[in-house]
Amino acid sequence: MNFALVGVAGYIAPRHLAAIAATGHNLVAAYDPFDSVGRLDASFPHCQFFCRKDNFENFIESVRGTDHEIQWLSICTPNHTHASYIRYGLTHGMNVICEKPVVLHSSEIAEIMQLEAETGHQVYTILQLRLHQSIAALKQQLDKEGNTRKFHHIDLTYITSRGQWYKTSWKGDIQKSGGIATNIGVHLFDMIQWLFGNVLENVVEELNDDYVRGHFLLDHALVNYFLSINSEHLPPNAVQGEKRTYRTLNIDGNEFEFSQGFTELHTLSYQEILAGRGFRIAETINSIRIVEQIRPKKQQPILMVDLKGQYKKIESEVQTSLLQVLENGSFIGGMSVRNFEQQLSRFLSADHRPLFTISCASGTDALQLALMALMLRPGDEILVPAFTYAASAEVIALLGLIPVWVDVDPIS
């Protein structure tokens, strides 16, 4: 299988690179706006690397129908970009493997599942703790109890200290990362709800920039949790051992050990996915809802059109594209416009019949071009809805044509 990977310079990318190599597959293309990607040499020295997104996408298109055509897209980018890259992969003929959290908002899951159905391609995510040997054994043990399952009391603590860089990176921006619970807790919360059932109550007791404390009630457990990136929260035994991470899961007063056995879980995840047994995006909705509820909510006015919200969903794509236009100086026409027209033509084409698309600066320009293409003569009459925007009649008058107003009601 041929893979492409976005976010190859990121923290988690080496695990995906190792998994692609260990499963015997090929990385054909990689993208990251940062060029510190010498890690590619270890397994994929012939991989084509791109710092510009448009060049990466053009390459993906150029290898269609060849031996290098991409079947899988691996996503290792910042959290807020996951949904947009998933859409890109699905609509360009690729199955997708996305690092957790697969999306920031649970509402995006239904949208992506619909896109899966339309494209025939699938989205998988990395829920590696479900594959951990000790956790999988506990799951089997709990499932055997059936209707006689006990109610458990659980204490979950995870402290993974981070430096000052964290707060100034995208991870410290709640709009981009989803906050601390999403960043470091989503996989743990997925494990807990997978083991002990649906969330009935989710209570946040303390929430800060670097830690969160709370509890939630599940079908078969009451879970108290504490997550932190503050090194001052590390227990003395961890500090003395010069450990920067402390993880503990206590079930009914008994310590559950799962601190070992993490190194190969991404490779195991890839093996399961490529064998058709991976975790699909639908399985993430419970954990995404948990961290979504923990996230602080600001009171927002109800907007008729939420332009800022729309922009935030595609912020990284917009910023990358704008910078590329500024760099190449193509402010009118150019490669970016041609790429957009070609992609829109493919998207709108029915039954793969060619469709010619022209992008315009405004809806007014589009109306004018459409009327000009009809080869009308000055004085011809054009029916126009009476309830419309000014541009509808403006372009008619501009071309020397006569607008004739019509209404849906014959009496009025």
Side-chain angles (χ1 to χ4, degrees), residues 276-297:
R277 299 187 298 266
F279 300 116
R280 300 281 297 278
I281 188 171
E283 296 189 57
T284 68
I285 192 163
N286 288 339
S287 57
I288 297 299
R289 282 176 175 164
I290 290 172
V291 294
E292 197 172 36
Q293 291 165 3
I294 293 172
R295 204 172 297 151
K297 298 174 179 62

Side-chain angles (χ1 to χ4, degrees), residues 41-214:
D41 288 344
S43 301
F44 304 107
H46 301 295
C47 170
Q48 297 293 318
F49 171 68
F50 303 91
C51 279
R52 287 180 44 165
K53 189 166 179 284
D54 57 340
N55 290 341
F56 170 76
E57 292 177 352
N58 289 338
F59 177 80
I60 298 296
E61 292 301 313
S62 72
V63 296
R64 281 180 178 270
T66 73
D67 291 341
H68 297 295
E69 180 171 358
I70 311 298
Q71 291 88 31
W72 289 87
L73 176 67
S74 294
I75 300 173
C76 305
T77 56
N79 298 350
H80 67 295
T81 67
H82 288 180
S84 60
Y85 279 117
I86 288 171
R87 295 187 195 100
Y88 167 76
L90 292 177
T91 56
H92 287 75
M94 293 174 275
N95 295 307
V96 175
I97 300 175
C98 185
E99 185 57 53
K100 60 191 178 299
V102 65
V103 292
L104 288 181
H105 307 286
S106 57
S107 60
E108 294 173 308
I109 293 178
E111 175 194 338
I112 291 172
M113 289 174 63
Q114 178 62 36
L115 199 55
E116 284 183 311
E118 292 172 3
T119 62
H121 297 284
Q122 288 79 46
V123 180
Y124 297 87
T125 191
I126 305 295
L127 302 177
Q128 75 270 36
L129 290 183
R130 297 192 187 190
L131 300 176
H132 191 285
Q133 188 174 2
S134 298
I135 295 167
L138 177 60
K139 172 69 171 173
Q140 290 181 346
Q141 176 187 330
L142 293 170
D143 287 346
K144 287 179 180 178
E145 294 178 4
N147 295 330
T148 63
R149 286 188 67 168
K150 302 176 183 177
F151 189 84
H152 302 274
H153 290 82
I154 297 171
D155 291 299
L156 171 66
T157 300
Y158 181 44
I159 303 169
T160 177
S161 54
R162 298 287 187 266
Q164 290 300 314
W165 64 268
Y166 184 95
K167 294 179 180 179
T168 55
S169 74
W170 65 267
K171 292 176 182 287
D173 184 343
I174 195 169
Q175 300 299 322
K176 294 181 178 180
S177 69
I180 185 170
T182 307
N183 266 345
I184 70 170
V186 67
H187 62 305
L188 295 167
F189 293 153
D190 172 77
M191 172 192 72
I192 290 293
Q193 65 84 30
W194 184 60
L195 291 171
F196 299 103
N198 296 317
V199 177
L200 306 177
E201 183 181 46
N202 187 346
V203 177
V204 179
E205 298 165 6
E206 293 182 77
L207 179 60
N208 205 315
D209 289 341
D210 57 9
Y211 73 90
V212 59
R213 183 194 308 275

Side-chain angles (χ1 to χ4, degrees), residues 245-298:
T245 297
Y246 175 78
R247 182 191 296 109
T248 179
L249 178 64
N250 190 291
I251 304 176
D252 299 324
N254 299 310
E255 190 76 16
F256 179 76
E257 173 59 41
F258 68 111
S259 58
Q260 304 298 320
F262 280 85
T263 55
E264 302 300 326
L265 291 183
H266 271 71
T267 295
L268 183 55
S269 296
Y270 268 68
Q271 289 171 346
E272 293 295 297
I273 289 169
L274 296 172
R277 299 187 298 266
F279 300 116
R280 300 281 297 278
I281 188 171
E283 296 189 57
T284 68
I285 192 163
N286 288 339
S287 57
I288 297 299
R289 282 176 175 164
I290 290 172
V291 294
E292 197 172 36
Q293 291 165 3
I294 293 172
R295 204 172 297 151
K297 298 174 179 62
K298 294 181 179 179

